[in-house]
Amino acid sequence: MAKLQAIRGMNDILPQQSLSWQYLETVFQQVVRRCGYQEIRFPVLEHTELFKRSIGEVTDIVEKEMYSFDDRNGDNLSLRPEGTAGCVRAADQHGLLYNQQQRLWYAGPMFRHERPQKGRYRQFHQFGVEAFGMAGPDIDAEILQLSASLWQELDLGEYLTLEINNIGSAEDRKRYSIALSEFLQLRVDQLDEDARQRMHTNPLRVLDSKSLQVQEALQGCPQLESFVNDESRQHYQQLQALLGSAGIEFRENPRLVRGLDYYNFCVYEWTTDTLGAQGAVCGGGRYDSLVEMLGGKATLAAGFAIGVERLVLMLESLDKIPAEARQPIDIYLLAVGDNLGQQSLQLAQLLRAHYPQLGIVSHCGGGKYNSQLKRAFNSGARLAVVLERDEPGKELLGNVKIRRLDDSAESETVEITEIIPKLAEFL
Ligand code: ATP
Ligand code: MG
């Protein structure tokens, strides 16, 4: 029978790669914890309506990318394409937003039916933070500082650039969209099909078209900047001042509009040129009207989402995973001879009790010394500890051998009672 394969664009993360993921997860959790953010978990499935109302009907995500289906009750559900909508739904449903301030984070798989390529998948993962009840721009600066700290902790700071833009209110963008649409209609010959369609449905999205021809057609187009309201402008200026004093460098990108409708005021993206075409690793901004759009009481809000796969790709290609994070097993325990099961189990537990931070594997399944040693090497452990009975039926020797699993092959045989202090010398 033919073997079944995974769905295209949905990756298995194998044990070796999981180490990179775990490293990244640990660092992320440390950074958000330090800033007082608390985890929220919400389902991967929600009513499709939630995403339509929040992300917007006329966006790539909702129009083309969602995994939606009717369940057995006939309810139309979708796999979440991003985290903010579900986070807001959950926080509001459980009364976390009413007259309160919240600093939340989440992590997990997201689903978008896109064309799979390097850094772009159909199941991918995001880390996100969302802050509620704060007007900013101090909270916006805090969130950007949090992301900058994360890059620093991961030693990726020099490879990432922050781009920011002021997109005003939904009202401002509506007026701007009309002006931009009029401008584009005069240059329709220079637009590709995508841009021609968006020119009517969501003209702002034409701004971040990847086509050079479209970018050329945009030369001299009306600028969003001249449509945004004073409050938004002030917010943006204050944010820039805060970023400056925090030593966070940024570049203003007037074409940055982001693909989701719910943003207002400042939006931003962290990008890298180390990944090829898929250069955005983190995107976010303010979304002060979203809670109300979803039926809650108006609540100030801001947040970002990070693409985990893209960060893992960066960490791996730039060789930024620390050696200790790549070491799942430290000690491999060999047991050579018959009936050593009990002693072997006991010794393994003794070692684990003394070195709870180490990974200690006890060989199972018997076999000769050489074949066990080969497994020890393959395990990636640094040390082998050999429990040996020299002849079948004889008493267990009172000695164990410690052997380095490297070219030095340094080894020493010690009394079993001395194993703990001796191991400390080898580690
Ligand atoms: P892009 O411009 O690359 O399509 P986006 O604007 O659609 O990104 P967001 O919705 O802002 O992405 O999501 C935040 C982050 O999630 C992105 O910056 C990116 O790192 C990551 N991301 C988005 N879509 C995918 C995907 N299909 N596969 C892998 N990562 C993704
Ligand atoms: Mg996208």
Side-chain angles (χ1 to χ4, degrees):
M1 233 196 289
K3 277 189 199 167
L4 293 171
Q5 302 279 316
I7 297 167
R8 204 162 100 82
M10 303 211 176
N11 299 318
D12 301 308
I13 297 157
L14 302 181
Q16 198 54 37
Q17 222 196 353
S18 287
L19 297 173
S20 307
W21 282 66
Q22 284 169 9
Y23 166 67
L24 178 55
E25 282 157 8
T26 305
V27 174
F28 176 77
Q29 290 187 21
Q30 281 166 353
V31 170
V32 289
R33 191 183 143 65
R34 269 180 220 148
C35 297
Y37 285 69
Q38 291 184 289
E39 188 184 11
I40 182 164
R41 301 187 188 204
F42 41 89
V44 292
L45 265 184
E46 299 271 0
H47 291 286
T48 301
E49 181 66 17
L50 175 71
F51 303 114
K52 283 192 176 166
R53 268 210 255 169
S54 55
I55 297 166
E57 298 252 13
V58 204
T59 54
D60 281 355
I61 295 179
V62 170
E63 274 182 335
K64 305 182 204 157
E65 297 173 0
M66 283 214 294
Y67 283 89
S68 304
F69 62 94
D70 289 332
D71 79 353
R72 288 168 195 276
N73 301 333
D75 291 329
N76 197 253
L77 309 179
S78 293
L79 284 167
R80 62 185 185 193
E82 55 101 58
T84 303
C87 178
V88 166
R89 198 269 311 134
D92 191 43
Q93 182 175 333
H94 299 284
L96 304 187
L97 301 183
Y98 188 69
N99 273 345
Q100 293 178 61
Q101 295 190 338
Q102 295 287 351
R103 287 177 169 81
L104 305 176
W105 68 269
Y106 62 82
M110 308 294 161
F111 304 84
R112 296 185 193 175
H113 197 278
E114 304 195 71
R115 192 169 68 80
Q117 52 199 292
K118 182 183 168 200
R120 193 176 292 288
Y121 312 104
R122 290 180 173 174
Q123 174 173 328
F124 64 101
H125 296 74
Q126 288 185 335
F127 291 135
V129 308
E130 314 288 1
F132 297 100
M134 290 160 267
D138 47 2
I139 187 64
D140 306 295
E142 173 186 296
I143 288 174
L144 283 166
Q145 191 173 48
L146 186 156
S147 54
S149 311
L150 180 62
W151 317 141
Q152 219 157 32
E153 289 283 322
L154 297 169
D155 197 20
L156 294 177
E158 63 181 296
Y159 306 98
L160 288 159
T161 312
L162 174 62
E163 293 184 4
I164 62 174
N165 193 22
N166 176 15
I167 61 166
S169 65
E171 211 32 59
D172 300 340
R173 290 200 300 283
K174 210 175 279 170
R175 287 188 297 118
Y176 174 63
S177 290
I178 295 168
L180 183 62
S181 178
E182 280 168 4
F183 174 90
L184 290 170
Q185 279 169 50
L186 298 174
R187 285 157 188 80
V188 77
D189 301 343
Q190 297 169 58
L191 303 180
D192 60 12
E193 202 182 306
D194 211 35
R196 266 179 221 182
Q197 222 169 43
R198 284 174 169 170
M199 168 179 87
H200 298 293
T201 54
N202 195 350
L204 258 79
R205 290 297 289 163
V206 179
L207 291 182
D208 60 11
S209 159
K210 299 209 162 80
S211 147
L212 281 178
Q213 189 196 330
V214 174
Q215 284 300 331
E216 235 158 72
L218 283 165
Q219 295 279 336
C221 71
Q223 296 296 303
L224 177 55
E225 199 197 345
S226 42
F227 287 75
V228 300
N229 64 75
D230 287 344
E231 194 193 349
S232 183
R233 198 162 298 168
Q234 210 174 35
H235 184 280
Y236 191 55
Q237 273 158 9
Q238 288 169 352
L239 174 64
Q240 293 188 29
L242 285 175
L243 293 178
S245 59
I248 299 170
E249 285 174 34
F250 59 87
R251 190 174 77 80
E252 283 187 78
N253 176 1
R255 297 267 163 96
L256 179 68
V257 289
R258 318 250 320 114
L260 306 89
D261 276 358
Y262 51 61
Y263 289 108
N264 64 284
F265 287 20
C266 54
V267 293
Y268 44 81
E269 233 166 56
W270 286 93
T271 59
T272 181
D273 51 20
T274 63
L275 290 178
Q278 269 57 252
V281 300
C282 172
R286 291 200 67 85
Y287 51 95
D288 297 314
S289 45
L290 179 60
V291 180
E292 207 174 8
M293 274 159 65
L294 294 177
K297 201 169 164 284
T299 305
L300 300 162
F304 69 62
I306 293 173
V308 179
E309 279 81 356
R310 292 184 194 177
L311 263 193
V312 169
L313 276 170
M314 276 185 87
L315 288 169
E316 287 180 345
S317 65
L318 297 165
D319 204 13
K320 296 291 187 188
I321 311 284
E324 58 278 14
R326 283 190 260 120
Q327 181 92 37
I329 295 166
D330 301 281
I331 298 175
Y332 196 96
L333 184 58
L334 283 63
V336 185
D338 298 332
N339 300 322
L340 281 172
Q342 193 195 335
Q343 286 90 342
S344 176
L345 277 176
Q346 262 172 12
L347 180 57
Q349 280 308 80
L350 178 80
L351 298 183
R352 289 179 188 129
H354 275 84
Y355 297 106
Q357 75 283 12
L358 298 184
I360 298 169
V361 165
S362 181
H363 180 86
C364 292
K368 298 221 162 67
Y369 175 77
N370 277 342
S371 76
Q372 291 195 30
L373 189 65
K374 205 167 148 192
R375 293 217 190 260
F377 271 107
N378 290 341
S379 76
R382 286 182 282 159
L383 296 178
V385 170
V386 187
L387 192 62
E388 209 164 359
R389 197 196 289 279
D390 63 351
E391 275 175 47
K394 277 207 177 166
E395 278 296 284
L396 179 67
L397 294 178
N399 296 333
V400 287
K401 188 163 80 177
I402 304 173
R403 185 199 194 278
R404 273 195 207 290
L405 293 167
D406 60 14
D407 292 342
S408 78
E410 185 191 344
S411 72
E412 197 172 331
T413 301
V414 296
E415 287 279 320
I416 200 155
T417 48
E418 290 301 303
I419 181 80
I420 299 296
K422 209 54 186 176
L423 260 183
E425 291 173 25
F426 271 80
L427 282 164

